[in-house]
Amino acid sequence: MASATVNDAAKALKALHVPSSPVVFTNVWDVASLNTVLSLNANASDTNYDKPVKAVATASWAIAATEGLADEDLTWEANLAAITRVAPLVRAAGLPLSSDLQDGYGARINEVVTAAVRAGVSGANIEDSIPAAGFGKGIAGSLYPLDEQVRRLRGALKAAADAGCPDFVLNARCDVFCLDDDKATLDDETRLREAVARGKAFLEAGATTVFYWGGGRGGLSREGVQTLVRELDGRVAVLLSAYKGGPTVKELAELGVARISIGPTLFRVAMAAVARAAKGILVDAGGMPAI
């Protein structure tokens, strides 16, 4: 049985989700990345500014990359192993942990959420896309049917409650904006209509926020985010790169969202830095870069 502190952390995490004053996650993938992010709090001066890290989230894409895998090939066992390594450190830092549980690993969703809570997780992303299907089969072929996904999310929340976390923070991800473009059957209006319908249903099922993974591929726009915020009373989560043009945290807050994530961005930035440093040493003979 999970300790009460997991649910205390869930309550704290839920309270951070405020429309127009969003919680911002710099997603981590291992102990090193976690400690680097947490150092921002350690270095903060109480007299100058608040500790900037309010909560921690994992990124399954980055965890998979450390295993040499594509995101869709990451097993639950490997994901849980990574979560288990960071969870005690997040708890020791006095912060809540939200984890990327992908689609809940199909029929294992209740088992997965139970294990996550027992590991110290107080919230999670759970997406409505079917990993094996990919994004090229339209709404009917690439996403779980709405009624089925609602049942899955309700079951996941019950599993969390049964494991000792009734206030589990579900960030229900909707992937309709990720689907491959097909102007004949999936235009922007259809995507947005489906996004609103799914979002309302996920919130009714108990989600804290609905996470729309959008941007260049699926065409989520600034106007689309405005519509989602209006239709869902601000209970909207997006990537920092929510749409083309590079919106800032301030801009997204002004649009009224409640949660912002960066997904695997830090991992990609870190790997690009490694590549530049290695090139300087091995190709340009410039020696070690300054740190």
Side-chain angles (χ1 to χ4, degrees):
M1 193 75 169
S3 69
T5 57
V6 176
N7 198 58
D8 291 340
K11 290 179 180 179
L13 178 59
K14 190 167 290 188
L16 292 172
H17 290 69
V18 180
S20 299
S21 183
V23 57
V24 183
F25 290 93
T26 48
N27 305 66
V28 305
W29 59 93
D30 62 6
V31 170
S33 60
L34 171 66
N35 286 339
T36 301
V37 168
L38 291 181
S39 71
L40 299 177
N41 281 2
N43 294 331
S45 168
D46 291 339
T47 59
N48 291 332
Y49 58 91
D50 291 336
K51 293 181 178 180
V53 184
K54 309 298 185 184
V56 174
T58 63
S60 70
W61 191 99
I63 292 171
T66 65
E67 301 282 340
L69 300 171
D71 191 27
E72 61 269 21
D73 295 326
L74 179 67
T75 66
W76 166 234
E77 289 71 22
N79 196 359
L80 179 60
I83 291 168
T84 301
R85 285 191 288 270
V86 302
L89 302 176
V90 176
R91 177 178 175 181
L95 298 174
L97 175 63
S98 179
S99 289
D100 185 346
L101 301 183
Q102 300 187 308
D103 72 320
Y105 297 87
R108 300 179 67 185
I109 185 168
N110 294 353
E111 166 202 345
V112 163
V113 170
T114 297
V117 170
R118 289 176 175 167
V121 171
S122 297
N125 294 350
I126 298 180
E127 60 206 45
D128 64 356
S129 55
I130 305 168
F135 290 130
K137 298 180 180 179
I139 293 171
S142 294
L143 306 182
Y144 285 99
L146 180 54
D147 57 348
E148 181 181 352
Q149 184 66 357
V150 166
R151 287 195 300 271
R152 297 174 78 249
L153 296 180
R154 289 188 188 278
L157 288 168
K158 183 179 185 302
D162 290 346
C165 193
D167 291 290
F168 192 78
V169 178
L170 174 59
N171 190 37
R173 187 173 126 180
C174 176
D175 281 349
V176 68
F177 295 105
C178 296
L179 303 181
D180 288 341
D181 203 18
D182 180 359
K183 293 298 184 183
T185 60
L186 195 58
D187 57 22
D188 291 344
E189 182 179 347
T190 301
R191 291 180 195 269
L192 191 56
R193 184 168 57 248
E194 184 73 15
V196 170
R198 285 178 175 257
K200 289 182 175 180
F202 297 165
L203 293 176
E204 178 65 25
T208 299
T209 46
V210 182
F211 181 24
Y212 294 98
W213 191 283
R217 183 177 192 178
L220 180 58
S221 64
R222 187 180 192 278
E223 293 72 25
V225 173
Q226 286 180 307
T227 297
L228 294 169
V229 166
R230 182 178 65 251
E231 292 289 337
L232 303 185
D233 296 324
R235 297 169 66 184
V236 171
V238 293
L239 286 172
L240 183 54
S241 57
Y243 49 82
K244 292 179 180 178
T248 63
V249 169
K250 182 176 183 291
E251 180 179 343
L252 292 172
E254 289 172 348
L255 290 177
V257 305
R259 175 172 175 148
I260 299 171
S261 299
I262 64 167
T265 298
L266 285 184
F267 177 87
R268 289 169 169 156
V269 169
M271 294 304 101
V274 169
R276 287 194 301 272
K279 182 175 182 289
I281 296 165
L282 300 173
V283 178
D284 299 334
M288 285 294 291
I291 296 177

